[in-house]
Amino acid sequence: MRILTRLDMRRLLSAIIVTVGLVVLLVLCFGIPCRNSFCFSPVKVSGIVATNLSEVVKTEINLSSDDDDDDEYEEEETRNDDSCRENNVVAITNVKVESVIASPNVSLGKPEMAVESRQSNALSILRRQKQVAATVSISQMNSLLIQTRPSSHSPKPRWSSARDSEMLSAKSEIENASVVHESLGLDASLYRNISKFLKLSVCLLTRSYDLMERKLRVYVYKEGKKPIFHSPFPRGIYASEGWFMKLMESNKKFLVKDPRKAHLFYIPVSIKALRTSLGRDLETPKSLADHLKDYVDLIAAKYKFWNRTGGADHFLVACHDWGNKLTKKHMSNSVRALCNSNVAQGFRIGIDTALPVTYIRSAESPIEYRGGKPPSERKILAFFAGSMHGYLRPILVQLWENKEPDMKIFGPMPRDPQGKKQYREYMKSSRYCICARGYEVHTPRVVEAIINECVPVIIADNYVPPFFEVLNWEEFAVFVEEKDIENLRNILVSIPEERYIGMQARVKTVQQHFLWHKKPVKFDLFHMVLHSVWHSRINRVKTRSRHY
């Protein structure tokens, strides 16, 4: 009798659960019946219906993947996985919005009041997010860069090598450099300390870049199976890691066959390939990070170099969104060149280096469509177009689309040849190109703006721009905090004409640092990435008395 009672209770509980589930399903599909005209309408976002604003804010929504090879200006979709999101900022990802903000069921009344209400709600969402995570401003990043320069942040090697002494000697030459009066054709205002970056041609003073070209030697590990290792993919949204791998492994100037002669050790891994090559059962961040750990264990067991420094003289180049999270545990001492350079997610200013996102359509023509109109012919104040990836872009479009004639702010543009051509023409005809974050802080629009000689306007809190340790970004780009997005036009209009013309000229000058060449040239992207790694290592190198 006692057993029958328990069974009856279980059956009753199951029936209740099924009934509640059906009710919830009906509510999600058809909404909540309500006679009150002020009930909230369901908000349909990519086929998912939310009955109130908090559901939209708290839910990360994943849509069908975009093919990055078919889209010149769109970021590839990041898989929606709660374990992949390490920041505490609430995000609305990849939103196709029919109604971004839940609004009252009011059919009469002034339309502009509803618009103002939606704008106010959008900004309140953004402000609540900013209250969760503190924002590091560009000026604070400058301070962090200065604070992290000392070598105390690097572990002492278990034993020293002749290479350590060579790097310490180079460090001393850089630190004792005098003021430069000639800069080999570069604009001194673009660089944080040009006397430490260049060599003065008429004097015998050496500089960081010149020392790198003359002294740096790199060993590339041969271990690692394709396609995860040694398989560069020089097209698409993550082309930066592919181009660097291709040019590094084929380089004759910096490479050495004897690892004992190397100052730096390159781990030739593609995070993009790692992300897509192991099969769906192994695509979790933990599984992928464990795969990298296995590789580190392999080279540590076969060679003594990783163990000597704990990986401090090793580096990798990763442009995929997951590059940061997959490497920060097992490669915490190494120099990481990352596109996802978010200080709120573990990017270390002065230790890691920020890698540009370069969308490459053709591996045979990596610098096509370069150039743009002169300032006098740029009649558009600001331009943005792109998919609604992340929480910020829907707000940007909602606030500024069709609001001002000189603000060309759109959602996705057509992907046919005519749409892509129009996109480029907008960039070439605009004074400022809006580089708004997507899923993560980085976006290819920063480099696209520079290629099209348009001043970048970066709206991505906690984003460390490429080559930050060398370039003075505030001289050729505008930084707008996400919370100030409603004042975007006022900020841009307030920039004096003379200031804009100077910034646009410096964009053209700095352009050479953001170009891939099939055969690397001085100061190009390949050399700049390598210099950033060299710069990081040389500022953290330590030595002991015993040599091997």
Side-chain angles (χ1 to χ4, degrees), residues 197 467 470-471 513 523-532:
F197 179 55
F467 314 132
V470 170
L471 296 180
H513 299 321
F523 296 130
D524 71 352
L525 220 165
F526 170 75
H527 285 99
M528 290 295 289
V529 173
L530 195 58
H531 176 267
S532 291

Side-chain angles (χ1 to χ4, degrees), residues 357-392:
V357 187
T358 54
Y359 191 100
I360 305 297
R361 296 175 65 250
S362 170
E364 296 301 316
S365 304
I367 56 175
E368 60 182 348
Y369 307 123
R370 179 183 176 187
K373 295 181 179 180
S376 60
E377 297 180 21
R378 291 179 177 261
K379 305 302 181 183
I380 301 171
L381 177 64
F383 165 67
F384 172 85
S387 291
M388 297 296 96
H389 296 171
Y391 60 83
L392 184 69

Side-chain angles (χ1 to χ4, degrees), residues 503-539:
M503 294 177 74
Q504 200 270 344
R506 286 187 283 273
V507 166
K508 295 173 65 175
T509 301
V510 82
Q511 188 182 82
Q512 63 180 311
H513 299 321
F514 294 89
L515 302 176
W516 293 113
H517 298 275
K518 288 193 284 186
K519 184 177 180 180
V521 301
K522 194 178 185 70
F523 296 130
D524 71 352
L525 220 165
F526 170 75
H527 285 99
M528 290 295 289
V529 173
L530 195 58
H531 176 267
S532 291
V533 175
W534 154 270
H535 181 276
S536 174
R537 176 57 183 157
I538 210 169
N539 279 289

Side-chain angles (χ1 to χ4, degrees), residues 120-338:
S120 176
N121 287 333
L123 291 171
S124 66
I125 294 172
L126 186 58
R127 286 167 181 149
R128 284 200 297 273
Q129 292 171 356
K130 296 299 100 179
Q131 291 174 359
V132 175
T135 298
V136 181
S137 67
I138 191 70
S139 60
Q140 291 172 321
M141 290 179 187
N142 292 331
S143 299
L144 286 172
L145 180 62
I146 297 172
Q147 294 169 11
T148 55
R149 287 188 188 278
S151 59
S152 59
H153 294 271
S154 178
K156 287 185 178 181
R158 296 175 63 183
W159 65 89
S160 291
S161 74
R163 308 292 86 79
D164 292 336
S165 298
E166 291 172 359
M167 296 198 82
L168 283 172
S169 176
K171 179 180 180 181
S172 177
E173 289 188 59
I174 295 170
E175 290 177 345
N176 295 324
S178 61
V179 178
V180 163
H181 301 289
E182 180 183 332
S183 57
L184 300 182
L186 297 183
D187 183 350
S189 64
L190 288 170
Y191 306 96
R192 294 190 176 277
N193 188 342
I194 198 166
S195 67
K196 293 185 178 180
F197 179 55
L198 292 172
K199 174 191 173 193
L200 182 59
S201 60
V202 296
C203 298
L204 296 178
L205 297 175
T206 54
R207 303 294 182 266
S208 180
Y209 186 95
D210 179 71
L211 283 167
M212 177 197 76
E213 284 198 317
R214 291 193 291 110
K215 293 190 174 184
L216 176 61
R217 297 297 177 263
V218 178
Y219 181 77
V220 179
Y221 286 107
K222 303 300 187 292
E223 289 72 21
K225 295 181 180 180
K226 295 182 177 182
I228 295 174
F229 299 89
H230 308 288
S231 292
F233 190 74
R235 293 180 59 237
I237 196 71
Y238 303 127
S240 287
E241 66 182 34
W243 270 89
F244 183 86
M245 183 187 297
K246 175 183 177 180
L247 297 175
M248 188 76 259
E249 292 200 305
S250 63
N251 189 276
K252 296 180 180 179
K253 181 175 183 179
F254 295 107
L255 290 188
V256 290
K257 295 181 179 180
D258 185 351
R260 292 173 298 178
K261 297 180 180 179
H263 303 95
L264 290 167
F265 297 82
Y266 173 48
I267 298 176
V269 61
S270 167
I271 300 298
K272 171 183 169 60
L274 175 65
R275 176 71 176 80
T276 57
S277 300
L278 292 182
R280 302 189 72 87
D281 293 339
L282 297 175
E283 285 185 358
T284 65
K286 184 180 184 305
S287 297
L288 300 181
D290 288 344
H291 191 82
L292 285 178
K293 181 181 183 300
D294 291 341
Y295 182 81
V296 169
D297 291 342
L298 171 66
I299 61 175
K302 188 173 181 179
Y303 303 92
K304 57 185 176 182
F305 307 104
W306 178 278
N307 295 326
R308 187 182 78 86
T309 63
D313 53 2
H314 289 58
F315 74 99
L316 62 101
V317 175
C319 198
H320 193 280
D321 293 4
W322 287 17
N324 189 341
K325 64 171 65 69
L326 296 185
T327 59
K328 67 181 181 180
K329 181 177 181 181
H330 304 302
M331 299 181 182
S332 59
N333 289 329
S334 302
V335 182
R336 304 177 303 161
L338 303 172

Side-chain angles (χ1 to χ4, degrees), residues 66-79:
D66 294 331
D67 184 355
D68 60 6
D69 290 335
D70 292 335
D71 189 356
E72 178 175 331
Y73 51 86
E74 299 300 342
E75 287 88 339
E76 185 181 24
E77 179 192 2
T78 299
R79 184 177 299 277

Side-chain angles (χ1 to χ4, degrees), residues 426-494:
Y426 273 127
M427 276 206 158
K428 295 179 185 297
S429 304
S430 300
R431 290 191 156 209
Y432 300 97
C433 290
I434 309 302
C435 307
R437 63 168 294 159
Y439 294 112
E440 305 291 349
V441 292
H442 56 293
T443 166
R445 286 164 184 79
V446 176
V447 174
E448 284 179 346
I450 293 172
I451 295 299
N452 290 282
E453 299 173 2
C454 180
V455 175
V457 178
I458 298 174
I459 312 178
D461 290 353
N462 301 315
Y463 171 60
V464 182
F467 314 132
F468 183 69
E469 68 283 346
V470 170
L471 296 180
N472 187 4
W473 274 83
E474 291 170 285
E475 290 298 315
F476 61 93
V478 178
F479 291 83
V480 176
E481 292 189 20
E482 294 174 15
K483 65 180 178 60
D484 295 328
I485 195 170
E486 62 181 324
N487 298 318
L488 178 59
R489 188 175 186 278
N490 290 337
I491 292 171
L492 298 181
V493 170
S494 68

